[in-house]
Amino acid sequence: MPPTTKTAEHLPLAHLAMDYFDKSSDPFHAVQTSIDLLEKAGFEELDDVGAYKGKIQPGGKYYFTRNKSTLVAFAVGDNYEPGGGGFKVIGGHSDSPNLRVKPRSKRSGSKEKSIQVGVECYGGGLWHTWFDRDLGISGRVFCRSESGGIVQRLVKIDRAILRISNLAIHLQTTKEREAFKVNKEDHLSPILAMAAQKALGGDDEKSENDDEDDEKEETVEDGWTEHQEPLLLELLASELAVDIEDIVDFELNLFDIQRASLGGVHSEFIHSARLDNLASCFLAMKALIECVDEEDFLSNEKDISLIVLYDHEEVGSSSAVGAAGPILAEAIERVSSALNAGEDVSSDVYAATVHKSFVLSVDQAHALHPNYKSKHEKNHQPQMNGGMVIKRNANQRYATNGVTGILVREIARRASLPPIQEFIVRQDCGCGSTIGPLISTATGIRAIDMGCPQLSMHSIRETMGVCDLTNGLDLFKAFFRYFSEVDEAVQQ
């Protein structure tokens, strides 16, 4: 059946989002994909190492990165003055639970027939969903240049080069069949290749002693190379067109090579990897680009509109590039100083700026699962394609409070958007958390936690509604447009 009239109008945005999801197989690629779109829209890169003095002007559009895995992009209103305006921030995260190649990737011994790669779990994934999937590998590789320096190269091998196979049911006990338990160390190591090249190439004459001699001759002992799987290094060198000897390190992630797709009879769903939280990243970036592209947006603006896509949310955010780190506070201080004729802003002006600022902490939310309704609080059951979701928790696992919730609901009302849905976790279930409380703690900025509803969170493949992409984009744009006037109208 074709999409309904209601669904069809959301599909162009859905296809753009799906392309973004497919390209963003890890935080480094998510940041680079975002940069490509930002530069196309006229945003200029700032050197995060150098001073910002003289480089930022009212009406300008800028971005910078940290570790190439966290991104900050912003646009300065023509009427901005330090202390007179605030920062309207949308924050998300670029990382997702996955399997990462260990620092020493070699796992298989010389006599083993299946060559495996050592991996470790990143974040809290539903690891059973990684079995029997076609896995590629992506991330960044550090290479020695001709001048002797070290450069970073992105790599994305979008082929089924790795696989974690299930154990056949015939080899499992009755008890093992009842509960599928994954030993992260023993059961999640993927197979890269077969070691028996003689079986593939017909070289049956070569003895095991010959194999061992060749291995001794070819192994480079520099404290790093000898601990890597040689076939993996060969693969990386081939993809990057460099010599194996020039590879000095890497940070690599496994990913499901199946592309994002539309689902449902009326194409009302998107099925994709990493919806948590690439959906929020895509919408935040899209909202910023579209707002500043409007003819009168920056000319009538007294604030700074900013997005920040953090790394390391899935492992607690406690890092130099996570939400608990200094990135946002530093950005506010450095940008304010650059717009203050390069002079440091006083603590009083900085505090005034913080108090005029606000953060939409956007991370995916739990939609009602029809097969597990008992897992949801009966009066707080968000539906996919039903609009954005505000997340609340009395114990401050989320940053939302009465005032911040009213501000966002009022923004939605003024923009004639669908009513905001609400989520709280059942009291007999543990409550997750996200970047909102961490940002507020680190900066003192008011915040709300919210997101698009989805199913299968932290699975290798997740599901959300196509209409909620539009709902999210419209709300984020309304936030950039209307926050200041709504904030002035609500008693704090």
Side-chain angles (χ1 to χ4, degrees), residues 12-29:
L13 180 62
H15 285 293
L16 291 175
M18 289 159 60
D19 182 64
Y20 181 89
F21 303 155
D22 290 337
K23 291 178 178 176
S24 304
S25 51
D26 58 70
F28 307 114
H29 280 85

Side-chain angles (χ1 to χ4, degrees), residues 467-486:
C467 301
D468 289 323
L469 288 171
T470 303
N471 293 331
L473 179 60
D474 289 345
L475 180 65
F476 294 174
K477 290 165 67 174
F479 168 69
F480 284 139
R481 291 190 191 111
Y482 303 126
F483 170 74
S484 294
E485 61 184 73
V486 170

Side-chain angles (χ1 to χ4, degrees), residues 293-370:
D293 193 47
E294 295 173 4
E295 187 174 350
D296 60 346
F297 180 79
L298 289 178
S299 61
N300 295 325
E301 182 63 89
K302 66 176 183 179
D303 297 318
I304 293 175
S305 300
L306 181 147
I307 66 170
V308 53
L309 312 181
Y310 291 105
D311 197 1
H312 296 156
E313 189 275 345
E314 297 293 357
V315 291
S317 296
S318 295
S319 72
V321 294
I327 292 177
L328 183 56
E330 282 186 1
I332 292 173
E333 184 173 8
R334 295 181 70 190
V335 171
S336 298
S337 175
L339 292 167
N340 190 38
E343 300 296 328
D344 291 342
V345 294
S346 67
S347 59
D348 184 46
V349 170
Y350 179 80
T353 301
V354 166
H355 295 157
K356 290 182 172 69
S357 301
F358 193 90
V359 176
L360 287 187
S361 164
V362 289
D363 202 354
Q364 296 290 89
H366 297 293
L368 176 67
H369 196 308

Side-chain angles (χ1 to χ4, degrees), residues 394-451:
N395 297 303
Q396 290 297 293
R397 298 291 289 170
Y398 298 127
T400 310
N401 61 29
V403 172
T404 61
I406 289 171
L407 287 169
V408 171
R409 284 164 44 207
E410 186 65 11
I411 289 170
R413 187 191 68 81
R414 293 201 182 189
S416 300
L417 302 180
I420 306 294
Q421 303 186 87
E422 296 269 355
F423 171 80
I424 63 170
V425 73
R426 284 174 56 99
Q427 295 186 74
D428 54 0
C429 293
C431 183
S433 188
T434 184
I435 61 176
L438 297 172
I439 292 174
S440 288
T441 300
T443 66
I445 299 176
R446 296 167 293 167
I448 186 172
D449 279 304
M450 62 187 312

